[in-house]
Amino acid sequence: MGLLNFTGEPVPEAVSGDMHNLNQLSAQQFSALTEVLFRFLTEPKEVERFLTQLSDFATMNKISLGPLKNIVKSILLVPNGALKRNLSSEQVRADFIALGLSEEKASYFAEQWKMNSPTLTRLAVGQTLMINQLIDMEWKFGVTAGSSELEKVGSIFLQLKLVIKKGSQLENVYVELTLPQFYSFLHEMERVKTSLESFS
Amino acid sequence: MAALRAGDFAALQLLLKAPSKDAVRQLCQECFSSPPAALGALAQRACPGLAVSAQEAEQLVCALHNLTRHVVYRGFTAPEDILCLFPENFHQNLKNLLTKITLENISAWRNEAQASQISLPRLVDMDWRVDIKTSSDSIARMAVPTCLLQLKLQEDAALCGNNPVVSALTVELSKETLDTMLEGLGRIRDQLSAVANK
């Protein structure tokens, strides 16, 4: 096997056997299986649903679930590597052919890959490390009517509650701002937005 | 906040022993700013300058603290309001001097009271920077802009005394989060304008 695009490491031996089995599926069956796979890739949290759909596929097409799972494991190696390495659909197609998949099926998969890659890329980017990510912001503002030192006050206060993700825990941070501080904060955030937009 | 007591005015007359009007002015300022717990130490410092006993100094300092704080609490702006606090037989010139000093300082003292009132941690400073993420373990090549926001927060002034505790919090925001945040801040601004225009 020549150099593959999606990985620099040698591929497990079972893969060529799995590709051979895949080639035995009809075009319709392959298309149905591909659909199940991409639905899982675009919604990786839906593990239960994925396993149910695989098991339904196995029953409907009279294939044993065990071998089917191995085949799916082998297939998934390619899109996972392709995502990490920003591969084009041409490269994905070439890799499948190199692994032993028929040209027809490889082209079909590559097409599906092309259609789904924006969603998949966005998902991968979303998984990228964020430090102290801001999850939520709640606010309230009001008037201080009086205090123990001043009978009548009448000044406006603004309170923010920032929900921050520190590692796997959520932490609440409370901040109070005066009105001038709020306007200055708003102004700065608008500058940040302009800056972010110029880089998008 | 302590209320004015009858004995306070007797103690205030000790100010007649002060070396100058400026000394009285200075003492008023110090008595106002001092928290009740620090009045004892202040009395000890003031004692020599006034030629009074330690006990008299303490009574004077407490009385002056109560008077200045009471005036600020009520928010008096007219001399009559302050003058009528004093009893009939109080020394006329001293009464006028104290009224004048308090009126001179009242707005500065009001600001001081407001600045030290209880509150949630206050924002004292904020800085930001925009980074471009070019690579990560989940995707080898990308160009994703992200914002790092550093907020400097100061804990309640009353809890820290003279050593305010300032903590820095650095938060990361994606473009989407920033947009949502700006939406929220915009709504606050609109509501503030609505309240201001009423």
Side-chain angles (χ1 to χ4, degrees), chain A residues 84 86 124 129-132 134 139 148-149 151-152 155 175-176 181 185 188-189 192-193 197, chain B residues 1 69 73-74 110 114 119-121 123 126 128 133 137-138 140-141 149 170 172 175 182 188:
Chain A
K84 264 199 191 168
N86 302 100
L129 183 67
M130 277 196 105
I131 316 284
N132 288 354
L134 181 67
W139 52 267
S148 51
E149 302 308 312
E151 195 177 29
K152 293 199 196 63
S155 59
V175 190
E176 190 164 318
Q181 281 177 323
F185 184 65
E188 288 303 310
M189 290 292 101
V192 176
K193 177 174 169 151
E197 276 176 351
Chain B
M1 192 223 58
R69 293 252 170 140
Y73 178 76
R74 297 296 307 278
R110 251 193 94 84
Q114 248 181 296
S119 77
L120 289 180
L123 182 69
M126 86 163 250
W128 58 267
K133 296 187 196 184
D137 60 329
S138 49
R141 254 190 3 252
L149 181 64
T170 307
E172 189 170 340
K175 188 165 175 309
L182 272 174
I188 298 175

Side-chain angles (χ1 to χ4, degrees), chain B residues 7-197:
Chain B
D8 283 344
F9 291 104
L12 282 174
Q13 304 229 82
L14 290 164
L15 279 172
L16 291 165
K17 295 192 185 175
S20 67
K21 287 189 183 168
D22 280 331
V24 176
R25 204 166 262 127
Q26 173 79 2
L27 195 59
C28 284
Q29 173 65 53
E30 288 177 357
C31 288
F32 173 78
S33 301
S34 166
L39 286 174
L42 178 58
Q44 282 185 337
R45 288 200 305 274
C47 199
L50 291 167
V52 294
S53 73
Q55 194 188 19
E56 287 175 324
E58 244 192 82
Q59 285 170 337
L60 169 58
V61 154
C62 281
L64 206 43
H65 172 87
N66 289 343
L67 174 68
T68 48
R69 293 252 170 140
H70 180 81
V71 172
V72 170
Y73 178 76
R74 297 296 307 278
F76 290 142
T77 46
E80 301 77 52
D81 299 324
I82 305 176
L83 288 167
C84 70
L85 289 173
F86 293 85
E88 284 284 323
N89 56 356
F90 197 85
H91 191 282
Q92 190 73 1
N93 288 349
L94 182 59
K95 180 169 71 174
N96 290 337
L97 177 63
L98 284 173
T99 305
K100 181 163 172 250
I101 293 174
T102 19
L103 280 177
E104 276 169 8
N105 287 298
I106 199 160
S107 69
W109 286 347
R110 251 193 94 84
N111 289 341
E112 205 179 303
Q114 248 181 296
S116 57
Q117 77 189 0
I118 59 171
S119 77
L120 289 180
R122 296 200 189 157
L123 182 69
V124 289
D125 197 9
M126 86 163 250
D127 290 306
W128 58 267
R129 84 176 195 211
V130 167
D131 286 347
I132 311 275
K133 296 187 196 184
T134 53
S135 177
S136 82
D137 60 329
S138 49
I139 189 158
R141 254 190 3 252
M142 57 180 173
V144 178
T146 184
C147 168
L148 283 176
L149 181 64
Q150 185 185 72
L151 301 168
K152 290 223 179 77
L153 306 176
Q154 184 181 72
E155 286 298 324
D156 194 342
L159 291 174
C160 314
N162 286 330
N163 304 325
V165 176
V166 179
S167 58
L169 173 71
T170 307
V171 175
E172 189 170 340
L173 295 89
S174 67
K175 188 165 175 309
E176 291 75 31
T177 314
L178 178 70
D179 287 339
T180 312
M181 183 196 230
L182 272 174
E183 219 181 302
L185 293 177
R187 249 178 282 145
I188 298 175
R189 182 192 48 206
D190 295 338
Q191 290 205 17
L192 283 170
S193 326
V195 165
N197 291 336

Side-chain angles (χ1 to χ4, degrees), chain A residues 19-181:
Chain A
M19 291 296 142
H20 176 76
N21 289 336
L22 262 183
N23 284 331
Q24 308 305 311
L25 292 178
S26 74
Q28 217 174 356
Q29 288 170 318
F30 185 73
S31 138
L33 183 61
T34 312
E35 202 184 306
V36 169
L37 286 177
F38 274 103
R39 208 172 296 155
F40 173 60
L41 284 174
T42 52
E43 290 173 310
K45 295 207 176 119
E46 301 286 340
V47 179
E48 284 283 327
R49 187 187 69 183
F50 175 55
L51 293 174
T52 315
Q53 286 177 338
L54 268 188
S55 141
D56 289 343
F57 181 86
T59 321
M60 262 202 312
N61 294 288
K62 301 200 180 29
I63 310 171
S64 339
L65 190 54
L68 179 64
K69 281 193 181 167
N70 289 333
I71 292 173
V72 161
K73 238 188 350 184
S74 295
I75 303 177
L76 285 178
L77 288 174
V78 180
N80 286 337
L83 197 55
K84 264 199 191 168
R85 290 161 171 233
N86 302 100
L87 295 185
S88 66
S89 64
E90 265 309 304
Q91 290 167 306
V92 169
R93 177 177 171 275
D95 277 354
F96 269 120
I97 293 176
L99 288 174
L101 195 61
S102 73
E103 267 196 42
E104 194 194 323
K105 293 192 165 76
S107 301
Y108 180 77
F109 196 95
E111 269 305 304
Q112 295 303 306
W113 166 256
K114 195 163 159 180
M115 282 200 319
N116 282 291
S117 67
T119 314
L120 292 173
T121 315
R122 223 175 303 137
L123 266 176
V125 167
Q127 274 171 5
T128 308
L129 183 67
M130 277 196 105
I131 316 284
N132 288 354
Q133 187 183 5
L134 181 67
I135 306 286
D136 195 19
M137 177 180 90
E138 289 176 31
W139 52 267
K140 77 172 173 217
F141 72 85
V143 174
T144 303
S147 75
S148 51
E149 302 308 312
L150 297 164
E151 195 177 29
K152 293 199 196 63
V153 182
S155 59
I156 299 185
F157 66 84
L158 174 72
Q159 285 170 355
L160 293 179
K161 171 181 157 192
L162 304 170
V163 182
I164 296 176
K165 194 165 181 197
K166 285 198 162 181
S168 49
Q169 284 173 315
L170 291 181
E171 185 181 304
N172 296 332
V173 176
Y174 298 92
V175 190
E176 190 164 318
L177 290 88
T178 62
L179 219 48
Q181 281 177 323

